[in-house]
Amino acid sequence: MAGYFEPQGGPGGGAAIALDEVEISILRSLAVQLLELIGPAPGGESDDDGPVDPLDALFAESPSEPPKDPALARLFPDAYGDPERPQDEESRRMSAEFRRFTEGELRGRKREDLLVMVRSLDALAPAGVLTLKPEEARQWLGALNDLRLAIASRLEITAEDDGDRLFALPDSDPDKPMVMAYFWLGGLQESLVETMLP
């Protein structure tokens, strides 16, 4: 079981993975950093202030402009237009309107996925076998995907062929730890997807 997820209780029945102290620390640190980057839950409350009123969250308006940070821009892309070309005025207007009404909910969902990851790691520490129920596995999958997207933006990964360039980095390169985390998270994500297949 070490190193990758395995199914628990048959298809769709959850997943389990053995994690050591270093792996838990890395996963938790990455998740907390991304939580800080994403910002507070919808409605402006932090998760420590108690539950967010669903009605307040529903009517809380999100920003209409895309995020300036490249990692957030990758996590919350424009809904309209071709990402490879500059947007026309109509695409900008439609994207802004769509973002204004949906980004808060999307941020909240991404935060919840990351919080599930952090809480399950905290319950497991310092090491052991992490067992996820089906819904927790889905949330972990979302969190792993978001972590990889954020790291990919920092490493300026835009295509599959960037893998060769990243593998060729010398150990002395300052990006090497982030590259190793990117590939490790990819392996975790792939093995978790496989546990969820029918």
Side-chain angles (χ1 to χ4, degrees):
M1 181 181 300
Y4 56 90
F5 283 97
E6 291 187 0
Q8 292 292 296
I17 186 172
L19 295 170
D20 64 29
E21 189 172 355
V22 172
E23 292 166 329
I24 290 171
S25 175
I26 292 169
L27 282 169
R28 189 182 191 290
S29 174
L30 290 171
V32 168
Q33 289 176 58
L34 189 52
L35 277 166
E36 291 171 357
L37 183 63
I38 288 174
E45 296 182 41
S46 74
D47 303 293
D48 298 331
D49 294 335
V52 175
D53 184 324
L55 192 59
D56 287 345
L58 180 65
F59 289 106
E61 284 195 15
S62 300
S64 58
E65 293 297 315
K68 301 273 188 260
D69 185 286
L72 289 177
R74 181 134 346 157
L75 291 174
F76 305 105
D78 279 326
Y80 297 94
D82 183 349
E84 301 297 319
R85 297 186 312 187
Q87 284 185 314
D88 59 33
E89 188 59 39
E90 180 64 11
S91 292
R92 270 195 299 277
R93 186 192 65 73
M94 290 170 51
S95 289
E97 196 69 6
F98 185 82
R99 183 180 298 281
R100 190 164 65 93
F101 291 109
T102 61
E103 188 174 307
E105 182 181 344
L106 184 56
R107 279 180 186 261
R109 190 166 59 245
K110 289 179 181 299
R111 285 188 62 80
E112 186 56 36
D113 290 348
L114 289 161
L115 286 168
V116 165
M117 175 181 276
V118 170
R119 290 173 185 145
S120 58
L121 291 170
D122 286 348
L124 182 65
V129 175
L130 174 69
T131 303
L132 302 175
K133 296 175 184 170
E135 178 61 16
E136 292 170 326
R138 186 206 61 74
Q139 291 176 292
W140 261 72
L141 191 58
L144 288 169
N145 185 62
D146 289 343
L147 288 171
R148 288 192 81 228
L149 286 173
I151 291 173
S153 75
R154 295 292 189 247
L155 293 172
E156 300 180 353
I157 298 172
T158 56
E160 289 298 322
D161 61 356
D162 283 330
D164 293 336
R165 172 182 63 85
L166 296 173
F167 274 123
L169 287 177
D171 290 344
S172 58
D173 191 292
D175 285 338
K176 189 68 171 196
M178 200 182 306
V179 168
M180 299 309 293
Y182 176 77
F183 286 119
W184 177 55
L185 292 170
L188 292 179
Q189 185 179 10
E190 185 177 340
S191 68
L192 185 53
V193 167
E194 289 172 0
T195 70
M196 300 168 78
L197 295 174

